[in-house]
Amino acid sequence: MSKQTNIDNILNKADKLRWELGDNYHDYLTESIYTDAAAITRKTVQQKGKESVFNFEQKLDQIVTSKKWGFPIMLLILAVVLWITIIGANYPSQMLSDLLMGWLYPLLKDGANALNFPWWLSGFLVDGVYLAVAWVIAVMLPPMAIFFPLFTLLEDFGYLPRVAFNLDKIFQKTGAHGKQALTMTMGFGCNAAGVVATRIIDSPRERLIAIITNNFSLCNGRWPTQILLATIFLGAVVPNEFTSFVATGSVILIALIGIAFMFGTNWFLSRVMLKGEVSSFTLELPPYRPPQFWKTLYTSLIDRTLIVLWRAVMFAAPAGAAIWLISNINVGGESLAFWTIDWLDPFGVAIGLNGVILLAYILAIPANEIVIPTILMLTVLVTKDLNMGEGAGVMFEGSEAQISTILEAGGWTLLTAVNLMLFSLLHNPCSTTIYTIYKETNSVKWTTVAAILPIIMGIVVCFLVAFFWRL
Amino acid sequence: MTLIFNIIFGIIAIILLILFFKPQDGWWYRLKETKVSRDRIILEDILKTLYQSQLEKITPNIKSLVKKLPFREQQTLKILSEMEKKDLVQVLENKVRLSPKGETYALRIVRAHRLWEQFLAEKTGYDKKDWHKLAEKAEHRLTDEHLEELSKELRRPLFDPHGDPIPYGEGEMPEISGKVLASFPEGTIGRIVHIQDEPESIYQQILAENIHIGSQVKILKITPEMVRFSSEGRLHDLQPIVADALTIIPLEKEEITENISRLSQLKKKEKAVVKGISRECRGENRRRLLDLGFVNGTEIKISNISPLGDPIAYQVRETLIALREDQAQYILIQKEGNDE
């Protein structure tokens, strides 16, 4: 027999035998490896003294996942964390604002004058770039520096996986993963950080869903906007003693609407757009352990806060420049901003907003924090009220009464405020988040979906609200 | 105001036009493509139907063949006569048969269909009930290179997820054993090796009963009205026509595992030992469960239940792992205290 026929024979035989191996040959192989490994560990690895710790953990688990206490404990912890963040962030925010805008800003301005900078250069650099960066740092840094460590401590302690465990069924119904409850909560702090946090979800489809819908969590850049509008406009329609109640209630309502949109979008994505993507659920409940306080503080500040802040600053600088330029470049006797607002206004009014708001959202893509200051500056620019504001291209904020006067002069109504609250919830993520989404998904397609989907919803919702409001 | 709206509408119209006429994946192009290959779909569906008839040892006449297919009569007849010219079918005294060339072609389609179902089961998240429809479309589209690549990627599978053999090479077919469930006497213990996924109405009932391929069954009672059997700790009463969708092989005594049930049936405070993972659990999900330690011999019990009832956290080798009910049903266990 020749060598070739010999080989052919062997191959043929192998082919025949392959059929006899059966279909789950690979599974048997894997299974037996695991079984052997397990048998060896059982024989050779000894453990001692874990019993009592284990009992304590079990008791704790019984309580935090019980029907009676599971949800109350969860809500209480969430409320406390949010409360500490919102209240606690005010003080450092104020200090940073005094430092960067009250002290350093005039100093820089004077310095530029002393060095004989032409007005446009000092305006561009100090009023534009510096002010935007300072603003973002002052508003963004403190809440993140408080929220992330608290969150990380809970995570480190082992409580957060229990939250995912408690809530999983609700998320499962919309085709998502229980851990999305955590990334969603993280999104209340910052969407970019929420998107990074989706790494804890190991199933590709559910992770993508969590990334795309994170924007529906009202981030801390948007809370102040909501609170301001709710206080000035919604609070004003009821007697004084109910103002704060109505304002708080409506902000919470907006956050809940955001959660509703998140679930709806989850459902849509998993049933329509992501149908067929592999999905596999795993949720391990790790043992509780005392949180490593300092280590947690350090890593959450470095890994989460500073990275996000750095990205935000990188995007805020050019935005500040753009805001200043568009307000100061004049064409035919009016600024570019004026013309753009004029052009955007009909569409803005049609969806119950106005041209100023739309332009502010286009310019303030880097950070939601600078939306309100930009709106104020542009409103003053358009209404040409020279008694107000700090000059073209210089963002500012004032007391509630001042803001209220400016906005009313700009033609704002209750509808404008309600729709801006909705639009602030439902619009494209800030550029930091968009960039982070691209980094995490590595896909232009999904980044585009994540950016476009919410803004389409926002426009549709605002249009509908305006339509029915005006009936 | 109106000018702005005109501009916006103009832009939308342009975008729609671009989408419509985009080459490769524009809607117009797709429409055209489906029109071109429609003849091919009819041809291939005729081959499949004839192959199926051949398996059932029926030789259909032209009329019954045309009736079986969901296309217009004229079209089917036209394609049929073209097929005769190409020597794919032989028509003799009004009866239609596959030629050897036609049979090879038909087997290629069958291979494409089953490989695609296997692919959907192993590598995607599509639901069982969608596989057949998706494969019906894919089978006309897949080229020989696709099939080769698929087969390699799937590690040359022999059977599709329903237990049907996948033809290979020049149309060779792995042997299948087993007979329909009701052909065995009461008291037989066997294993489900094949679940028929057509017609859809019957397959839906199988899915509703949550019967898994590869599971062990014990036939309890057979009457003309219904077939009763138990499988993985659950009792099933099926109409005979539904039960006929199940093919089983009888098991030798040493192959039988007593008292098998599903992890989803474990109650609080009960202890059990994992016996394996159902064949119905595939791909990524299967590997995950194995990774987590759900392997033969592992002791398991419920640690806590979510306030909403699902998922449930199980204690497996000193770790707590939460599984959803639709995962727990794939893990086969033997409850303690019920041994042999």
Side-chain angles (χ1 to χ4, degrees):
Chain A
M1 215 187 285
S2 80
K3 205 173 168 188
Q4 189 54 44
T5 42
N6 222 341
I7 291 171
D8 284 346
N9 278 343
I10 292 171
L11 285 178
N12 278 337
K13 180 144 195 198
D15 226 22
K16 288 245 160 57
L17 287 173
R18 224 167 54 78
W19 299 113
E20 285 169 30
L21 266 177
D23 207 19
N24 15 8
Y25 152 72
H26 273 282
D27 295 338
Y28 288 136
L29 195 66
T30 334
E31 252 179 53
S32 62
I33 291 172
Y34 275 104
T35 316
D36 286 350
I40 293 169
T41 20
R42 210 169 356 188
K43 237 190 280 172
T44 52
V45 179
Q46 282 185 343
Q47 278 182 326
K48 54 180 181 184
K50 280 202 77 180
E51 203 62 20
S52 64
V53 180
F54 199 76
N55 278 340
F56 164 72
E57 283 181 7
Q58 273 207 317
K59 287 242 167 63
L60 194 57
D61 259 346
Q62 296 300 346
I63 297 168
V64 298
T65 66
S66 69
K67 271 197 175 138
K68 206 168 167 188
W69 297 110
F71 288 118
I73 290 176
M74 217 167 63
L75 289 175
L76 187 74
I77 291 179
L78 179 69
V80 169
V81 168
L82 285 181
W83 185 78
I84 294 178
T85 308
I86 292 172
I87 301 297
N90 276 339
Y91 304 100
S93 258
Q94 194 55 49
M95 277 164 57
L96 276 173
S97 159
D98 287 347
L99 179 75
L100 294 175
M101 279 169 274
W103 178 74
L104 193 55
Y105 171 69
L107 215 64
L108 284 172
K109 208 65 182 153
D110 292 346
N113 283 338
L115 289 172
N116 282 325
F117 276 25
W119 71 273
W120 53 268
L121 188 60
S122 93
F124 177 81
L125 289 178
V126 182
D127 294 336
V129 175
Y130 169 75
L131 205 55
V133 170
W135 209 292
V136 166
I137 292 177
V139 188
M140 201 167 176
L141 180 60
M144 287 205 304
I146 297 174
F147 184 77
F148 290 149
L150 284 178
F151 205 74
T152 316
L153 283 176
L154 284 175
E155 191 177 4
D156 212 25
F157 174 59
Y159 178 65
L160 293 189
R162 271 75 183 176
V163 173
F165 178 67
N166 285 350
L167 289 173
D168 182 67
K169 194 170 181 182
I170 306 174
F171 284 87
Q172 188 189 354
K173 286 230 163 92
T174 62
H177 193 296
K179 281 183 189 165
Q180 196 182 331
L182 311 182
T183 63
M184 181 192 84
T185 317
M186 189 70 121
F188 287 137
C190 169
N191 294 135
V195 168
V196 176
T198 60
R199 287 179 191 171
I200 57 172
I201 301 173
D202 46 14
S203 172
R205 188 179 78 171
E206 279 78 355
R207 172 150 186 246
L208 203 48
I209 290 176
I211 287 177
I212 295 173
T213 58
N214 197 274
N215 185 41
F216 294 115
S217 295
L218 213 50
C219 69
N220 85 50
R222 291 183 274 175
W223 286 105
T225 310
Q226 299 285 349
I227 294 169
L228 182 76
L229 291 170
T231 319
I232 297 181
F233 286 93
L234 296 181
V237 281
V238 293
N240 270 346
E241 58 265 36
F242 297 118
T243 302
S244 74
F245 177 72
V246 167
T248 319
S250 45
V251 174
I252 292 175
L253 184 69
I254 292 284
L256 291 177
I257 292 176
I259 293 176
F261 267 91
M262 178 208 66
F263 279 122
T265 313
N266 278 353
W267 189 88
F268 169 76
L269 288 172
S270 65
R271 296 292 190 294
V272 183
M273 284 192 98
L274 286 167
K275 201 175 179 199
E277 293 274 328
V278 176
S279 137
S280 70
F281 174 83
T282 41
L283 176 59
E284 204 182 323
L285 304 180
Y288 292 100
R289 55 171 188 194
Q292 297 166 288
F293 190 79
W294 295 109
K295 196 181 158 207
T296 305
L297 206 64
Y298 174 79
T299 51
S300 68
L301 280 179
I302 299 297
D303 287 355
R304 288 177 174 161
T305 315
L306 287 186
I307 285 179
V308 171
L309 189 71
W310 177 243
R311 281 186 188 170
V313 166
M314 293 313 290
F315 284 109
I323 291 171
W324 190 84
L325 286 175
I326 200 169
S327 321
N328 282 284
I329 297 178
N330 287 334
V331 181
E334 290 287 359
S335 63
L336 268 183
F338 179 86
W339 293 118
T340 323
I341 291 168
D342 192 47
W343 186 75
L344 285 170
D345 212 45
F347 179 68
V349 171
I351 60 171
L353 299 169
N354 59 41
V356 169
I357 297 174
L358 293 185
L359 180 60
Y361 269 99
I362 295 170
L363 290 174
I365 246 190
N368 285 293
E369 282 84 352
I370 56 175
V371 166
I372 285 288
T374 310
I375 286 178
L376 291 176
M377 186 274 287
L378 290 174
T379 309
V380 171
L381 188 84
V382 176
T383 53
K384 303 204 166 71
D385 187 342
L386 296 174
N387 296 324
M388 300 276 195
E390 308 283 331
V394 188
M395 296 183 288
F396 66 96
E397 229 168 10
S399 70
E400 277 168 17
Q402 283 172 317
I403 293 174
S404 174
T405 323
I406 294 174
L407 293 181
E408 265 155 32
W412 284 46
T413 59
L414 188 55
L415 170 66
T416 322
V418 169
N419 266 3
L420 179 54
M421 284 173 85
L422 288 168
F423 194 72
S424 156
L425 173 73
L426 303 169
H427 73 281
N428 54 289
C430 66
S431 52
T432 315
T433 307
I434 296 178
Y435 177 69
T436 310
I437 291 174
Y438 178 70
K439 278 271 187 187
E440 294 295 313
T441 59
N442 223 345
S443 140
V444 176
K445 182 186 166 195
W446 294 118
T447 311
T448 316
V449 170
I452 304 284
L453 202 62
I455 195 155
I456 293 176
M457 289 181 182
I459 290 174
V460 170
V461 167
C462 285
F463 177 79
L464 289 177
V465 170
F467 181 78
F468 286 107
W469 192 286
R470 287 166 181 159
L471 275 184
Chain B
M1 180 101 178
T2 41
L3 181 73
I4 295 280
F5 278 118
N6 283 337
I7 292 171
I8 291 171
F9 282 127
I11 291 170
I12 292 174
I14 290 170
I15 292 173
L16 283 179
L17 280 175
I18 291 172
L19 278 177
F20 206 84
F21 289 108
K22 216 170 110 192
Q24 296 301 324
D25 58 352
W27 295 324
W28 170 252
Y29 184 86
R30 284 195 191 167
L31 218 71
K32 228 173 83 185
E33 194 190 39
T34 43
K35 198 152 170 53
V36 172
S37 61
R38 188 164 169 82
D39 286 357
R40 189 174 148 196
I41 292 175
I42 298 176
L43 183 147
E44 293 182 346
D45 280 357
I46 293 176
L47 286 173
K48 257 177 36 180
T49 316
L50 286 173
Y51 177 74
Q52 193 55 39
S53 313
Q54 188 179 307
L55 283 186
E56 289 163 12
K57 307 224 159 56
I58 310 167
T59 318
N61 58 33
I62 292 178
K63 208 173 162 190
S64 65
L65 180 70
V66 169
K67 238 181 169 176
K68 255 190 179 171
L69 291 156
F71 310 109
R72 271 188 290 130
E73 192 180 323
Q74 231 179 347
Q75 241 176 336
T76 317
L77 287 175
K78 193 188 108 205
I79 304 282
L80 197 62
S81 72
E82 275 170 27
M83 289 168 77
E84 204 186 347
K85 274 182 216 136
K86 284 191 212 156
D87 189 33
L88 290 170
V89 294
Q90 295 157 349
V91 183
L92 245 163
E93 292 163 15
N94 213 14
K95 297 234 170 193
V96 196
R97 262 189 202 88
L98 281 177
S99 71
K101 197 175 150 194
E103 192 177 328
T104 314
Y105 194 165
L107 278 168
R108 204 198 81 92
I109 310 293
V110 172
R111 173 173 161 81
H113 183 99
R114 292 179 181 170
L115 267 179
W116 193 252
E117 284 199 346
Q118 182 69 9
F119 168 75
L120 291 175
E122 286 286 340
K123 304 278 176 186
T124 74
Y126 283 104
D127 198 68
K128 263 189 256 189
K129 65 176 197 299
D130 297 330
W131 293 344
H132 185 72
K133 268 191 202 132
L134 290 168
E136 285 282 277
K137 283 194 191 123
E139 65 191 12
H140 304 298
R141 201 178 57 218
L142 295 166
T143 63
D144 282 336
E145 293 87 67
H146 285 147
L147 291 183
E148 178 53 28
E149 211 175 298
L150 255 182
S151 167
K152 214 168 149 189
E153 176 76 21
L154 296 167
R155 299 193 194 157
R156 312 230 173 255
L158 307 174
F159 295 92
D160 78 357
H162 304 293
D164 282 313
I166 299 174
Y168 65 103
E170 302 285 292
E172 285 162 84
M173 185 85 98
E175 281 290 305
I176 41 166
S177 46
K179 286 188 280 183
V180 288
L181 185 132
S183 63
F184 292 95
E186 289 173 7
T188 308
I189 295 178
R191 183 183 302 289
I192 300 180
V193 290
H194 179 236
I195 297 179
Q196 182 64 34
D197 62 340
E198 273 179 306
E200 210 187 324
S201 58
I202 287 183
Y203 187 54
Q204 290 291 353
Q205 290 187 57
I206 300 273
L207 289 182
E209 285 282 322
N210 212 345
I211 295 166
H212 295 165
I213 193 163
S215 60
Q216 194 177 296
V217 295
K218 183 173 186 183
I219 303 173
L220 299 173
K221 203 171 167 196
I222 297 177
T223 68
E225 289 81 40
M226 66 102 191
V227 177
R228 167 174 291 181
F229 62 94
S230 68
S231 169
E232 299 178 346
R234 295 144 46 100
L235 208 61
H236 301 280
D237 286 333
L238 296 184
Q239 288 171 286
I241 182 170
V242 180
D244 277 353
L246 303 174
T247 310
I248 66 167
I249 48 164
L251 291 177
E252 301 291 325
K253 204 160 180 224
E254 60 274 11
E255 293 175 307
I256 297 171
T257 333
E258 294 282 340
N259 289 319
I260 283 280
S261 63
R262 296 179 181 175
L263 184 59
S264 47
Q265 287 163 291
L266 190 70
K267 293 194 183 62
K268 223 172 168 173
K269 297 207 172 93
E270 282 180 334
K271 282 185 181 177
V273 175
V274 174
K275 279 296 170 191
I277 299 175
S278 164
R279 263 190 65 193
E280 200 74 59
C281 181
R282 303 181 177 88
E284 188 62 24
N285 273 307
R286 188 183 187 93
R287 281 189 290 279
R288 266 294 146 73
L289 290 177
L290 288 170
D291 281 350
L292 291 171
F294 293 93
V295 292
N296 196 356
T298 308
E299 285 171 22
I300 191 165
K301 67 175 184 188
I302 290 180
S303 171
N304 28 11
I305 301 175
S306 161
L308 299 169
D310 188 29
I312 292 173
Y314 298 96
Q315 195 183 313
V316 184
R317 299 166 198 271
E318 280 146 49
T319 50
L320 285 186
I321 290 164
L323 294 182
R324 289 176 175 172
E325 197 188 339
D326 61 7
Q327 292 175 300
Q329 63 166 338
Y330 292 133
I331 295 169
L332 303 175
I333 53 164
Q334 201 168 43
K335 288 187 191 175
E336 232 160 66
N338 289 337
D339 275 342
E340 277 9 35

